[in-house]
Amino acid sequence: MPELVFFSGTMDCGKSTLALQIEHNRSARGLQGMIFTRDDRAGQGKLSSRLGLVTEAVEAGPGMDLYGHLVDQMSKGGKVDYVIVDEAQFLAPEQIDQLARVVDDLELDVFAFGITTDFRTKLFPGSQRLIELADRVETLQVEAMCWCGARATHNARTVGGEMVVEGEQVVVGDVNRPAGEVGYEVLCRRHHRKRMTSAAARAAALSPDVLPVTPA
């Protein structure tokens, strides 16, 4: 039976790499997939991984009817055997409903990839709807690591290396951005709560443990 599967995890845990692997494996068997993405780090209409792999995709912009797009392609003779959706957290809840309809009415497997929570630890609306509707939710087994070596469970937004907790939910960026730019870092819960990024940890390590005392 066709399924709607949501592969979730933090940033930097290999979601896009797995999406590309699924595409490779199925296309090698002669199957034809439709790939959707939204706000990929490589630009519009791209599905890319941090390993340097990239392929063409359809940009699923706001208001786009994903079910209607697939029906239109298939009615024109296009072959579609499965659907891959990367950065699914950025989709609107109604677009997730459309993906569920693709599974139920068109009988196609849909593999959606995304992070569940934003830099404030709040669920993305698209991810929440996927959790509500998906036949399966799979947590990726490749664990991203916090700077301290613990398992990273939270996504942090940084500006100049400092963690910020206010702002728009969606601001496109990536890990390992230069200082001064909007970037992201994965942290364990303890250091996310303390707003302790790797840059903040280095600064703290360079600070003296005890302030010098000047004799009276």
Side-chain angles (χ1 to χ4, degrees):
M1 292 289 292
E3 289 185 308
L4 172 57
V5 187
F6 180 33
F7 294 93
S8 68
T10 62
M11 297 182 71
D12 214 20
C13 73
K15 296 182 300 300
S16 297
T17 301
L18 179 57
L20 287 163
Q21 185 67 55
I22 289 176
E23 161 64 11
H24 171 76
N25 290 349
R26 292 186 169 236
S27 62
R29 288 163 40 199
L31 300 177
Q32 181 68 47
M34 175 70 71
I35 303 174
F36 293 105
T37 190
R38 174 83 174 272
D39 294 334
D40 188 90
R41 66 183 72 84
Q44 288 197 350
K46 303 289 184 183
L47 167 55
S48 67
S49 79
R50 295 187 180 88
L51 298 182
L53 304 173
V54 62
T55 192
E56 298 296 321
V58 176
E59 186 73 14
M64 181 180 183
D65 185 342
L66 306 185
Y67 177 85
H69 181 83
L70 282 161
V71 170
D72 182 62
Q73 294 298 308
M74 295 170 75
S75 66
K76 293 177 180 177
K79 182 184 178 185
V80 182
D81 297 306
Y82 60 94
V83 177
I84 290 174
V85 185
D86 199 29
E87 306 294 357
Q89 73 274 4
F90 295 145
L91 298 183
E94 56 267 26
Q95 291 176 311
I96 304 302
D97 290 347
Q98 293 159 13
L99 293 177
R101 188 181 177 191
V102 168
V103 176
D104 296 339
D105 294 356
L106 302 183
E107 298 187 343
L108 300 177
D109 283 316
V110 174
F111 306 102
F113 299 80
I115 57 179
T116 52
T117 57
D118 63 17
F119 68 105
R120 302 165 299 183
T121 71
K122 304 297 183 182
L123 282 169
F124 282 99
S127 298
Q128 178 177 334
R129 193 61 179 146
L130 274 166
I131 293 169
E132 293 166 347
L133 291 182
D135 297 293
R136 285 190 290 129
V137 177
E138 301 281 354
T139 301
L140 267 67
Q141 298 303 309
V142 177
E143 295 182 351
M145 296 179 66
C146 178
W147 60 264
C148 69
R151 177 174 177 262
T153 54
H154 291 66
N155 305 293
R157 180 180 295 170
T158 61
V159 176
E162 295 186 4
M163 181 175 160
V164 295
V165 294
E166 295 182 351
E168 296 293 329
Q169 186 176 50
V170 179
V171 175
V172 179
D174 201 359
V175 296
N176 301 321
R177 284 292 181 96
E181 294 185 13
V182 174
Y184 290 90
E185 183 174 347
V186 289
L187 300 172
C188 63
R189 185 183 63 238
R190 180 164 68 100
H191 287 124
H192 192 280
R193 286 179 53 247
K194 294 182 176 182
R195 304 187 188 181
M196 183 67 75
T197 65
S198 56
R202 286 193 296 271
L206 293 174
S207 301
D209 291 330
V210 180
L211 294 176
V213 178
T214 302

